[in-house]
Structure formats: C-alpha cells, structure tokens
Amino acid sequence: MEKVPSCSRLRQRMDLAPEIFKSIIKEESAKLLKSMNAKLTPCIDYYISIDVDVSPFDNSDTKKEGVSYTYKKFDGYAPIFAYLGEEGYCVNAELRKGSQHCQKNTPEFLRKSIKYSKAITSNPLLLRLDSGNDAIDNIAICKEKMLILL
C-alpha cells in the first residue's frame, strides 16, 4: 500500500490508460466477484437483473472538459451504468458528455455489460432499461444473447 499513488494521481493515470486496460479491469472485477461467490439475489424467480441507466451529473459550476447541457436541464456529464443483481454490483460504466443521446454507443455498452455479467453468473439475465433505450438495436441484442428485456 505504500507504493499506491494518491487518489488524484491514480485517476489521472487511469484516464491516460488505453481502452484495453479499462477492459482488463472490468474483466478482472467480474472474475473477482465470481471467485468470491458474491451474493446475487434474483429479481424474478431465478432471473438476475442487469439494470442499465444514464445518470446525469450536475457540473454547472465547473469548467470541466466534456460538460454540456443534459436532458435534466443542467450542465454536466451523462454517464451510463450497468448494475448486476438486486445488490447492484457495477459491471460496467462509461463517462459520456452531457449532451450525448442515451442511445449513442449503447448497443456496444450492452454487449460488454452482458459479457461481464455472464462471467459472474450462470443464471438467466433480465435486462432492465430506461425508456430512452427502447431502440430496436437493443431489442436485437437481447434476442441475440437470449435475454429477457423489461
């Protein structure tokens, strides 16, 4: 622990990391949850939920890069998150500009979130999306991955 940099420096290093490094961290996190036999409470019968939603952050009083007007009517970011099970283990997250439409790049985000979730549990998955993500592309991914969509 003596060689771990400060939180700020660690965040700066992570921001500089290539995308492959970020994928490795998510894959290893999934392996860790699996190896720990993390409790996963089904939402319906034996279906484990993956909840996906955009959560706008209010950064109105900052000058941060990427801050823009969100659908919540303030300046900020609009990151998207994927949580597994009723416990809400974060399996995927992506920082997005506030002005980015919630569906942009969501199909790939869903594919990755499903992959990480399947690495954790063998139970069938139930994908729960916000109504802003009712695009035909997302429905096709559910059919392709044999998921139930709510």
Side-chain angles (χ1 to χ4, degrees):
M1 293 302 291
E2 293 140 8
K3 296 188 180 200
V4 175
S6 68
C7 293
S8 301
R9 184 67 187 128
L10 184 59
R11 182 184 49 76
Q12 290 170 344
R13 288 180 183 172
M14 293 297 291
D15 288 344
L16 296 173
E19 193 59 38
I20 188 73
F21 186 64
K22 294 174 186 176
S23 294
I24 291 170
I25 290 172
K26 292 173 187 173
E27 289 168 8
E28 292 302 317
S29 295
K31 286 179 187 176
L32 177 65
L33 287 170
K34 177 77 172 177
S35 70
M36 291 177 51
N37 292 318
K39 179 182 178 184
L40 285 170
T41 304
C43 61
I44 301 171
D45 295 326
Y46 47 87
Y47 288 91
I48 303 295
S49 63
I50 306 175
D51 293 299
V52 176
D53 199 9
V54 173
S55 298
F57 293 168
D58 187 351
N59 297 97
S60 299
D61 296 326
T62 69
K63 295 181 182 180
K64 294 179 179 179
E65 186 178 322
V67 168
S68 54
Y69 200 66
T70 71
Y71 71 90
K72 293 281 189 174
K73 300 183 175 149
F74 53 71
D75 289 328
Y77 296 103
I80 188 169
F81 298 96
Y83 299 103
L84 184 64
E86 296 300 287
E87 291 74 19
Y89 295 108
C90 185
V91 293
N92 201 359
E94 181 179 287
L95 184 63
R96 297 176 168 188
K97 292 182 178 183
S99 60
Q100 180 172 326
H101 188 277
C102 66
Q103 183 56 28
K104 184 178 179 188
N105 299 327
T106 297
E108 186 55 32
F109 180 83
L110 290 177
R111 283 188 185 91
K112 288 178 182 178
S113 300
I114 292 165
K115 179 181 101 171
Y116 300 139
S117 297
K118 285 186 173 187
I120 298 167
T121 183
S122 59
N123 285 47
L125 301 172
L126 175 80
L127 184 60
R128 298 189 291 197
L129 297 169
D130 183 271
S131 62
N133 295 109
D134 62 353
I136 194 73
D137 294 340
N138 299 343
I139 295 168
I141 290 168
C142 290
K143 287 181 181 178
E144 165 192 323
K145 302 292 183 183
M146 298 176 61
L147 298 179
I148 291 180
L149 174 65
L150 256 187

